[in-house]
Amino acid sequence: MSSLEEEIARVEEEIRTTAYNKATQLHIGRLKAKLAHLRLEREARAKSRGGGVGYGVRKSGHATVGLVGYPSVGKSTLLNRLTSADSATGAYDFTTVSIIPGMLRWAGASIQILDMPGLVPGAARGRGRGREVLSVVRSADLVLFLVDPEHSNLRALIAELEGAGVRINAKPPRIVVQAGDRGGLTISSTVRLNQLGGGMALAIAREFGLHNGSIVLREDASPDQLIDALAGNRVYLPAILVVNKAELLTPAARTRLTQELRPFEPIFISARDGTGIAELIEAIGRALRFIRIYVKPPGQPPDRDEPVILRDGATVADLLRRLPTELDRTFRAAQVWGRSARFPGQTVGREHPLRDEDVVTVVVARGSARAAS
Ligand SMILES: Nc1nc2c(ncn2[C@@H]2O[C@H](COP(=O)(O)OP(=O)(O)O)[C@@H](O)[C@H]2O)c(=O)[nH]1
Ligand SMILES: [Mg+2]
């Protein structure tokens, strides 16, 4: 074990064995910050050795869903059921040794589904090619947790993702960190701080090596959230939970499992016989929050047959990326009809956020009008 690994193990051990109370909370906050800082260092070293990106799955389609679960819960069977991919299935652990993509169609959108090796405890530390799997999960737009009646420890799966900097069904904390090179560190907040008061925020920042710059806290964040903001490489992903092999469950076992898995609301399926698959496809589409944008060339009706599919929160700039580059180059403004417009035909710029079923006309600079038709 390298000295970095030893140090990480030592800090982990100290966090585990220190009782949390008023007298120790500042110390524990420091230890957590120290641990996060050491893990960043480990990531940086792994990257410079060229590790961590072994799979290189190319993203395609409008969004990507990562199947995350223990070995043998039925991930490959589900992929084959949802898409026309051909992923090997078997009653052995580790059947899937590489990542297999498949494509699912949903209301005009194509959704890439990735079947990957099952996660095992310790994946975030590199066990069972865990680091590669987790780096692919980080680039997905939605996590689909798949469990079965015998492997239903969701909490441990989430812990592995957290270890890899993935935050599930959470919003990024409203914290702005700016590093400087002199003048000391100022910490300010726009709300009353409970968990980060009493010197906690400062202690964490110091432990992270931030001595100059500013931190602005716009919510009553926790120490973990401040550490996430300082680390800066966290990804925030929505997730849905699916229980496979549901045909094996008695009604009582199903009720028990539902309680155990709260606050998630699991979708019960059988990848083998197809039960629940239609409902699951609907849930995937909804969770990805697609919006449909109808492009209307000037003086013509909008194209309602082929909407441009974007994700909720997309702007005119995102729309332009999906249109001929000529329109982007000569863009002057956009005219919008629909939910995002204050009045029909409102003129907006690139940063304007669009809503589902908006109609948009791209207005181009004079002299390049032909590009728009
Ligand atoms: N009873 C039952 N078995 C299933 C179901 N889906 C998959 N299996 C079986 O579970 C085993 C592991 O499936 P596989 O798709 O290879 O799992 P993976 O390791 O998660 O990719 C295989 O024997 C499958 O036939 C299901 O809905 N019900
Ligand atoms: Mg498999």
Side-chain angles (χ1 to χ4, degrees):
M1 224 197 268
S2 74
S3 61
L4 180 62
E5 289 296 333
E6 278 165 14
E7 176 126 32
I8 287 174
R10 195 182 58 70
V11 179
E12 282 172 343
E13 177 65 14
E14 190 175 347
I15 291 173
R16 235 189 334 267
T17 55
T18 307
Y20 182 90
N21 57 48
K22 265 242 139 10
T24 60
Q25 63 187 23
L26 195 62
H27 182 59
I28 290 178
R30 267 199 204 103
L31 287 173
K32 283 181 166 176
K34 181 168 191 171
L35 181 60
H37 202 219
L38 290 167
R39 284 179 175 161
L40 272 187
E41 171 66 26
R42 177 171 64 187
E43 286 304 302
R45 287 192 197 176
K47 270 213 191 79
S48 72
R49 280 200 309 270
V53 278
Y55 286 105
V57 179
R58 190 184 313 174
K59 283 185 103 173
S60 71
H62 297 100
T64 299
V65 178
L67 297 183
V68 174
Y70 298 106
S72 297
V73 296
K75 295 181 297 300
S76 302
T77 309
L78 177 60
L79 181 84
N80 294 341
R81 181 57 83 174
L82 289 174
T83 73
S84 51
D86 191 13
S87 193
T89 62
Y92 315 100
D93 290 357
F94 306 111
T95 321
T96 311
V97 292
S98 59
I99 291 183
I100 317 260
M103 204 59 89
L104 167 71
R105 303 282 304 174
W106 187 85
S110 12
I111 303 170
Q112 184 182 46
I113 314 255
L114 301 178
D115 174 27
M116 31 202 163
L119 276 191
V120 293
R125 280 180 275 117
R127 276 200 62 208
R129 315 211 58 178
R131 202 117 64 188
E132 290 90 334
V133 175
L134 289 165
S135 84
V136 174
V137 175
R138 279 176 63 97
S139 72
D141 301 298
L142 174 70
V143 172
L144 192 161
F145 286 118
L146 191 66
V147 300
D148 75 9
E150 288 186 15
H151 312 86
S152 60
N153 188 347
L154 181 63
R155 219 165 289 172
L157 282 180
I158 291 176
E160 287 303 329
L161 295 194
E162 296 212 317
V166 178
R167 301 290 173 265
I168 293 299
N169 290 342
K171 284 208 177 88
R174 300 182 59 209
I175 300 174
V176 183
V177 176
Q178 228 146 12
D181 44 29
R182 61 162 65 99
L185 179 64
T186 54
I187 297 178
S188 58
S189 61
T190 58
V191 293
R192 216 189 113 75
L193 298 180
N194 292 300
Q195 310 169 74
L196 286 173
M200 179 69 93
L202 188 64
I204 287 173
R206 287 264 151 78
E207 201 59 66
F208 230 88
L210 186 68
H211 299 289
N212 294 291
S214 67
I215 298 176
V216 182
L217 300 146
R218 297 188 184 280
E219 67 171 292
D220 181 22
S222 67
D224 289 333
Q225 286 178 307
L226 175 57
I227 290 168
D228 282 347
L230 286 162
N233 65 346
R234 309 306 195 218
V235 297
Y236 295 83
L237 296 180
I240 58 177
L241 171 63
V242 179
V243 178
N244 190 30
K245 310 188 188 181
E247 86 280 3
L248 302 177
L249 288 168
T250 63
R254 186 170 164 142
T255 304
R256 206 175 328 114
L257 199 53
T258 303
Q259 267 160 14
E260 203 181 292
L261 294 168
R262 274 185 195 154
F264 280 86
E265 284 175 22
I267 300 165
F268 289 90
I269 65 161
S270 170
R272 182 176 276 174
D273 70 23
T275 309
I277 296 297
E279 189 197 346
L280 171 58
I281 292 173
E282 270 312 295
I284 291 172
R286 249 182 290 123
L288 284 168
R289 293 148 64 91
F290 289 119
I291 61 174
R292 293 156 291 178
I293 305 300
Y294 304 109
V295 176
K296 172 179 147 36
Q300 291 178 40
D303 182 355
R304 297 222 176 245
D305 295 331
E306 269 187 68
V308 176
I309 306 284
L310 298 172
R311 306 276 310 285
D312 192 27
T315 61
V316 169
D318 296 311
L319 173 65
L320 287 171
R321 271 193 277 283
R322 301 282 287 282
L323 299 176
T325 53
E326 185 65 13
L327 287 181
D328 193 357
R329 209 174 52 76
T330 56
F331 175 86
R332 198 158 55 94
Q335 263 188 298
V336 185
W337 292 260
R339 277 182 235 178
S340 81
R342 266 187 289 127
F343 52 87
Q346 186 191 353
T347 299
V348 300
R350 286 175 190 268
E351 62 298 328
H352 177 78
L354 296 166
R355 303 275 304 275
D356 189 29
E357 299 213 80
D358 276 354
V359 171
V360 178
T361 292
V362 176
V363 181
V364 298
R366 222 194 295 227
S368 44
R370 283 177 58 198
S373 56

